[in-house]
Amino acid sequence: MGHTRRRTHRVARLVAIGAVVCGGVMVSQAAADGSPADGSGGDPTRALEARDTRDAELARTLVDKLGASRTAGSWIGSDGRAVVAVTDAKAADQVNQAGAHAKQVRYSMRQLRSATETLREAPRVAGTAWAVDAMSNEVVVLGDSSVSADQWSRMKGVASGIGGEVRMERTTGSFTTRTLGAEPIFTQGGRCSAGFNVTNGQAGFILTAGHCGPNGTAWFADTQGNTTVGTTVRSDFPGSDFSLVQYQNTSLDQSSVLNIGNGQTVRITGAADPVVGQKVFRSGSTSGLRTGSVTALNATVNYPEGTVSGLIQTNVCAEPGDSGGPLFAQNVALGVTSGGTGDCTSGGVTFFQPVTKAMTALGVSLPNAPASDGEAAGTASTAPNNGSDPAAQGAAGGQGGAGGQGSQVGPIIPGTQGDTSSLAGVVAYAQSFGPGLALIGAGLLGFLATLLIRPGRRGYRGYSTRWG
């Protein structure tokens, strides 16, 4: 009987020690990364690292330096480092010496762009899109479900005449604009999402999608039209897809803070062009905050309403009503939502108007950004938001204006693990450690119990077990 008690006692002690060890592992993982890995549905579950933006800038610099005849695009590799496609060994050496990876390819960017120009000159087919796939060194032509067999056959004939640098692919769904982003803005018969706040130095504007409405479109913060936001004063669509909504209600927020829902914000401190493979966030008034990566640049989409070129192609999902919403990485503005195919249940392809091109054409820049809390990189992990807040505050701006690189300070979103500047942030941060701490506590209590309850001794009522 004593044997059994001692064996049970040893097992209990081992279990307690195991609980403490497992709890410690859980706590250390929570401290190292408060976000799970990316999900296929586009949930914002991976925090963007400052290195993503640094390597994107390195890749852009190398491509600009070497030129379109010696390079064929760039991307962020699986190891997080910049990769530059080059056409000769000398260019490869320069890329490697600069700290990026070089991949020698057959076709230069000049040849790939020539292929896209040939496609543009062919008879327009609504429901098709194409972009340079830098990783495969090809121009990929997509055809949605609305493209007939005869139309697709004619497109194949054009591609065949170009050569081996063109690849044809069919896709499900239809390429549509997403009119129905961070904040909802309403007009008669439609809804879009506010993108980024911008300024011409005298007045404040919302930068959003051009297909949301022509010049003179009135926008409101509610479906009843009780709270005026502003009026569209410049719209460019098709061709490009951007517009300016001038604020008429000065009480609305025109700061450089991007509202991504549920009381959470990100400070925008600059604007830049993305690089293929870069991890990005998108926010919209229908599907909330989502994440994914850039898959191609300078994409052309043949919407039913017309052709739009120079777009950013991504695998981030979007839905009707997300049009005009912001695309960003770290604190850097990248684009506004144009359109695509699919949804946030099955996934899809979404295209964005680059903000640098839009701001240059419009003569506006991002407003001055406030200093970031803590001046250190934070973790941007948050649950998706359904965008029910009716306040049309617009989105964020930043220092520098069009094409500015901006600060590399990571976004700190109130109420999430990067933020300890508020009670909500402290609670959220503590909750991420909860399961591990609970397991450690249970293990310590169990271990303490094994020390106090010693097997093999008989206790007598009214006397200490240490007395003889």
Side-chain angles (χ1 to χ4, degrees):
M1 188 68 173
H3 246 342
T4 302
R5 285 198 300 268
R6 283 193 294 273
R7 187 162 49 249
T8 302
H9 185 268
R10 284 196 297 271
V11 170
R13 181 173 292 181
L14 289 173
V15 169
I17 294 173
V20 173
V21 172
C22 290
V25 171
M26 292 171 67
V27 168
S28 64
Q29 288 178 337
D33 182 8
S35 309
D38 284 43
S40 59
D43 290 335
T45 51
R46 180 192 182 277
L48 295 185
E49 298 175 358
R51 177 169 182 173
D52 291 330
T53 309
R54 288 198 304 270
D55 277 50
E57 178 62 21
L58 173 61
R60 284 191 294 267
T61 301
L62 288 169
V63 168
D64 289 343
K65 179 180 179 181
L66 294 170
S69 297
R70 302 181 67 197
T71 62
S74 61
W75 62 93
I76 301 298
S78 57
D79 61 354
R81 293 183 62 187
V83 182
V84 179
V86 296
T87 57
D88 62 79
K90 187 175 179 180
D93 289 340
Q94 290 179 263
V95 169
N96 290 327
Q97 290 172 7
H101 292 306
K103 179 181 179 181
Q104 199 156 341
V105 295
R106 179 178 180 183
Y107 301 110
S108 70
M109 182 56 70
R110 190 179 299 278
Q111 292 171 294
L112 296 175
R113 287 175 179 167
S114 176
T116 63
E117 286 303 314
T118 303
L119 290 168
R120 281 184 59 85
E121 293 168 0
R124 179 180 177 275
V125 177
T128 59
W130 54 80
V132 173
D133 184 342
M135 295 184 189
S136 66
N137 194 226
E138 295 171 312
V139 175
V140 180
V141 179
L142 301 176
D144 69 19
S145 58
S146 70
V147 179
S148 69
D150 287 344
Q151 289 173 319
W152 192 239
S153 178
R154 288 196 296 271
M155 288 289 293
K156 281 186 174 180
V158 175
S160 178
I162 295 172
E165 59 263 53
V166 179
R167 184 174 85 243
M168 306 287 288
E169 288 185 6
R170 294 302 297 255
T171 184
T172 58
S174 299
F175 292 121
T176 60
T177 53
R178 295 310 196 183
T179 306
L180 205 147
E183 299 276 5
I185 50 177
F186 302 91
T187 188
Q188 288 187 344
R191 172 166 64 89
C192 274
S193 298
F196 298 93
N197 281 334
V198 293
T199 180
N200 62 2
Q202 298 177 331
F205 305 85
I206 297 172
L207 176 63
T208 187
H211 71 261
C212 287
N215 290 350
T217 301
W219 293 98
F220 303 91
D222 58 315
T223 55
Q224 295 78 27
N226 294 326
T227 305
T228 300
V229 173
T231 303
T232 300
V233 294
R234 170 78 183 275
S235 180
D236 193 339
F237 176 83
S240 296
D241 195 1
F242 56 80
S243 65
L244 274 184
V245 176
Q246 183 169 0
Y247 277 107
Q248 292 178 340
N249 189 338
T250 57
S251 67
L252 296 177
D253 183 9
Q254 300 177 40
S255 72
S256 60
V257 175
L258 175 62
N259 188 341
I260 59 172
N262 294 332
Q264 298 165 332
T265 60
V266 173
R267 290 173 174 85
I268 298 298
T269 58
D273 294 318
V275 68
V276 172
Q278 184 175 4
K279 298 295 182 179
V280 291
F281 283 112
R282 176 202 61 75
S283 185
S285 63
T286 299
S287 59
L289 185 67
R290 302 284 173 168
T291 193
S293 59
V294 176
T295 56
L297 302 175
N298 296 315
T300 295
V301 185
N302 292 299
Y303 294 122
E305 302 92 334
T307 300
V308 180
S309 299
L311 298 176
I312 302 164
Q313 181 175 319
T314 74
N315 57 16
V316 187
C317 70
E319 297 181 355
D322 289 332
S323 281
L327 179 75
F328 60 98
Q330 284 286 326
N331 301 89
V332 180
L334 300 175
V336 292
T337 306
S338 175
T341 183
D343 54 41
C344 289
T345 299
S346 59
V349 177
T350 304
F351 300 93
F352 298 84
Q353 167 69 52
V355 295
T356 53
K357 178 182 176 182
M359 290 193 299
T360 298
L362 295 167
V364 296
S365 61
L366 298 166
N368 291 331
S372 181
D373 291 340
E375 297 296 313
T379 301
S381 172
T382 182
N385 166 44
N386 292 325
S388 59
D389 187 353
Q393 293 180 319
Q399 298 170 344
Q405 176 55 31
S407 168
Q408 302 305 320
V409 177
I412 297 179
I413 304 177
T416 61
Q417 186 173 316
D419 170 47
T420 55
S421 62
S422 66
L423 179 59
V426 173
V427 170
Y429 188 70
Q431 284 177 340
S432 67
F433 294 94
L437 291 175
L439 197 55
I440 291 174
L444 289 174
L445 287 174
F447 185 75
L448 183 60
T450 63
L451 294 177
L452 296 177
I453 304 173
R454 303 176 65 183
R457 293 183 180 242
R458 233 167 148 192
Y460 297 91
R461 178 175 291 190
Y463 296 93
S464 168
T465 55
R466 286 183 285 179
W467 291 359

